[in-house]
Amino acid sequence: MKWGEELPQSFFNQKTEALAYALLGTVLVHDSPNGLTAGRIVEVEMYRGVLDRAAHSFRGIPTSRTRVMFGPPGYAYVYFIYGMHYCLNVVAAANGVGEAILLRALEPLEGIELMADRRRQTLSTPPRISEVKRLTNGPAKLAQAMGITLEQYGWSLFNSPLSLFIGQSPVPRSLVARGPRINVQYAGEAADFEWRFWLKGNSFVSRL
DNA sequence: TGATCGATGCTCT
DNA sequence: GAGCATCGATCAA
């Protein structure tokens, strides 16, 4: 497959921070009935359990929304937010723990017209770089562009229409920047945790 | 180019 | 009933 090798289930079985680093540079693919879209992951945030006030799993008890987050790693945790947006997470950590990695930005690789269609944007011919960036430079934008809704809740990210591929050799940590997460000011000391990771200098990230 | 604000409905208290 | 892991329009400069 042109995106590289599909990630095996065992890939997701590593510590959450290591998985956050490892996901950068991989390719998210959604082979949907409307067509295929793919993008390279360039920005993520990790959310952890009872020590992380910003995490949906903070209370330590699964709810109907967070059930998948507490399950085994390698599955899609999708949630609905602000009454109109969806966000996609990769479940991390062992069964019962409740950790996940939010995908915050992609670099579009294939299906750009379909992405624009889903985003209700019009592209110039040829598309301008600014138009391509705004398709996927935010968690809700990339979910919309990739056709992710609650329908994909709990889907596996291996052996699935929604899948992850190793798009290149792993990105060295020296090429990854980290800093505090976005929009979690309410989370007390957890607001300062440097749990957002992005590819240094990559212009497809949601914010500098 | 950046700051501000409204939309909109689910989730959990 | 309050708040939210956001986005896009609008307004100022």
Side-chain angles (χ1 to χ4, degrees):
Chain A
M1 171 51 126
K2 66 195 288 189
W3 310 118
E5 189 180 339
E6 184 167 7
L7 295 173
Q9 184 169 17
S10 60
F11 171 87
F12 302 96
N13 193 14
Q14 50 183 313
K15 290 190 174 171
T16 302
E17 183 167 318
L19 182 59
Y21 277 104
L23 284 172
L24 289 171
T26 65
V27 178
L28 177 70
V29 177
H30 184 195
D31 191 3
S32 86
N34 296 326
L36 187 147
T37 45
R40 180 170 175 250
I41 297 174
V42 300
E43 179 186 350
V44 300
E45 283 178 357
M46 67 172 175
Y47 288 85
R48 306 193 61 191
V50 293
L51 76 170
D52 180 9
R53 197 172 187 79
H56 293 163
S57 54
F58 175 63
R59 305 278 168 194
I61 300 165
T63 64
S64 58
R65 177 174 66 156
T66 60
R67 176 175 48 81
V68 165
M69 191 173 171
F70 282 91
Y75 291 81
Y77 168 46
V78 183
Y79 64 87
F80 184 62
I81 191 70
Y82 294 115
M84 61 189 87
H85 300 301
Y86 300 97
C87 295
L88 172 64
N89 294 249
V90 177
V91 175
N95 193 13
V97 177
E99 303 188 352
I101 296 165
L102 171 68
L103 305 187
R104 284 198 56 91
L106 301 178
E107 175 179 343
L109 295 177
E110 180 159 328
I112 290 175
E113 291 192 2
L114 176 54
M115 289 185 184
D117 221 39
R118 287 170 172 155
R119 297 264 304 122
R120 297 168 202 237
Q121 310 263 328
T122 55
L123 298 172
S124 313
T125 47
R128 295 159 58 172
I129 188 69
S130 59
E131 294 172 335
V132 176
K133 283 181 187 176
R134 69 171 178 239
L135 293 174
T136 52
N137 63 350
K141 293 181 189 178
L142 78 86
Q144 187 179 25
M146 294 294 291
I148 307 295
T149 67
L150 287 178
E151 187 184 345
Q152 280 73 38
Y153 183 91
W155 283 20
S156 90
L157 291 161
F158 45 91
N159 296 326
S160 163
L162 186 61
S163 48
L164 278 167
F165 290 77
I166 298 173
Q168 56 178 46
S169 5
V171 176
R173 293 199 177 194
S174 61
L175 298 183
V176 175
R178 67 185 297 171
R181 294 171 293 182
I182 306 291
N183 286 343
V184 295
Q185 300 89 332
Y186 62 89
E189 62 178 12
D192 298 324
F193 297 167
E194 298 200 326
W195 284 358
R196 171 178 175 239
F197 306 87
W198 66 94
L199 296 184
K200 265 183 205 170
N202 188 289
S203 66
F204 290 89
V205 299
S206 65
R207 307 194 193 182
L208 246 52

